[in-house]
Amino acid sequence: MKKLIALALVGLFVFSGCTTGNKPSKTSTGVEYDTKNTVVKHIHAGEYENLDYLAASDELHIEYAGNVCDGLIEYDNYGVVKPGLATDWKVSEDGKVYTFNLREGVKWCKYDGSVYGEVKAQDFVDAAKRILDPAMAIDNADFLMSVIAGASEYYDGTADFDSVGIKATGDYTVEYTLISPTPYFISMLVYPAFFPVNGEWVASQGESYGIDNQSVLYCGAYLFSTYEPQYLHEYTKNENYWDKDHVYITKYESKYNKEGATLAPELFLRGEVTYSSIPNSIIQSWMDDPEKKDMVRPGSPSYYSYFYCLNFNQQFPEDRKAEGENWNIAVNNENFRKSIFHGLDRKALAVTEDPYDPEGHLLNTITPKAFAEVNGVDYTQIGELKTISETDSFNKELALQYKEKAVTELTAAGAKFPITIQAYYNPTMSDWADRSVILKQTLENLLGNDYINVVYTPGPETSFLKLTRRAGIYAIQECNWGPDYADPETYSDPFAPEGTYNFPEFIIGDTDTNGEKIYTNLLNAAKAERVDIAKRYELFAKAEAFLINKAYVIPYEQSNQGYVASYFYPFDVQYSPFGCSYLRWKGRQLLKTPMNSAEYYEERTKWLEEKAKASK
């Protein structure tokens, strides 16, 4: 997702008894729901930075946003677009104007459930004006500026807001005018950047808006009823919600516990939690125990792409300035980058998440397979991406060959060996710490600690991204990105100029005859093609292949949840690889007993069949 890195979140759940509404008692394959339990308890290790859901840009905040506020559309559990706050919509013949008719009677509620007002078209306009205010410094402004006519000009101060293509043409009609035809526009609407906000309420709160749960209004399935930082988050079902009959979980409680990941499996066995990741350190013991094995299943796959970024603008403090400058010399040498690219044993890293099938998660491209296709051809099979997707980047011989070339070139450039490679990991995630150890061992064992010195350091438990990756103090860092809309462009966002992933605008070299950055030109050409989808995908594939072939980025794996023990049914979640859909609790149900692997695969087979039918 937008500016997303590692989750500062640990998933632990318990539930308590409460009667529920008209829910089915079994799935189609006979797995039984627990129809009496509707209260979920969760333990988290991270904390919110602010509660302005329009600014939500990482998974923790997007989960909050998607549960307290609705968008114009939503997805069902098969990935089919359904009406949300909009009952219907139409598109102009030129593909540039979208007109949405809103659902009448939708309520804005306070944290305690009292009604403040009604959601109207002007709320979408007010939200856009807030996001596009440069003084707010909301990163999500990029979403609007990328597609909405006049948004960039207003943000830059060269036009007034009347020129922005978001208009309330009636109390219940909102119109969006796009810069150019954007076939994936509808899919963008499940991202918080396109949610409404009550402008009158925001104005009444002033600078206090978003500092706590009481300063925000809600129109989603849940109210953020209790917020005690680093202690308790409590969400309760919104009884004034327009679709409350499809909200089965009535309360969601989350308590702060930075040791949750370690305690979870034992708490699960004692019946005190209903969800736990089963880390690799104990998965074998669970698989060897018949009773425990029957509680374990694979985690649900996702479209998060994990990759290692090399930082082209290391910003070490003054006492480490020389070290940072030495790294900047090294990282701008292509042979040095390729020695790291081919020396990274990705399978060894993936074992930390799945010891049984690590190769099954490896990803050779940045964009995952099966995310997008055109004319029956998967995006990762277009152009040079086809060769990349079919080739393992780990190659000892190539790594050593590039090392030899790099040593000669870097010595001439004045670099000092060994090159220090600073890596940070989130200390709330044990598997990331394990991968950091393996990163150091595999790279140094192959390339030699006279060539490189990998230093892995735990980052802060809170504001991890802000203080490490975004601050530019790393040399190499494990990063990830989830799609924000249904188009390959979404996976290019982390590497766009002025991004905070590896600061590509600081790369030395790789310019054309006019001195312009080759990758930036490739990216801009792809973004400019908005009608011929086949041509558009071909151009994005060319840009992505350039990033990988030049070893600016090292693709690693497609996200998976490893192995879990859970009472949650995994196939009722709203399905889309982008936005906040998969993080919403609306429609979710609990099971009587944990689903085992055999049941999981049987249910998944049935779900895939139903999904194929629904897609038609």
Side-chain angles (χ1 to χ4, degrees), residues 531-553:
V531 177
D532 187 335
I533 302 303
K535 181 65 175 177
R536 177 179 173 84
Y537 281 24
E538 177 184 327
L539 292 170
F540 272 112
K542 185 176 181 180
E544 182 170 332
F546 180 84
L547 270 183
I548 298 170
N549 286 333
K550 288 287 187 177
Y552 292 135
V553 181

Side-chain angles (χ1 to χ4, degrees), residues 25 52 54 118 121 132 183 214 252 304 314 360 573 591:
S25 61
D52 181 354
L54 295 180
E118 188 177 359
L132 292 171
Q214 299 182 29
Y252 185 100
Y304 282 112
Q314 195 174 75
V573 66
L591 301 172

Side-chain angles (χ1 to χ4, degrees), residues 175-237:
E175 180 182 276
Y176 290 81
T177 300
L178 309 186
I179 299 169
S180 57
T182 306
Y184 56 86
F185 177 66
I186 288 293
S187 70
M188 299 180 77
L189 300 178
V190 292
Y191 201 80
F194 291 92
F195 286 0
V197 73
N198 187 290
E200 181 182 79
W201 172 266
V202 172
S204 73
Q205 299 300 301
E207 293 184 359
S208 296
Y209 181 77
I211 66 171
D212 60 26
N213 63 317
Q214 299 182 29
S215 66
V216 180
L217 292 181
Y218 310 105
C219 66
Y222 294 89
L223 308 171
F224 195 4
S225 52
T226 303
Y227 176 46
E228 299 175 22
Q230 293 195 326
Y231 177 64
L232 175 67
H233 303 163
E234 185 173 85
Y235 297 82
T236 54
K237 179 178 177 178

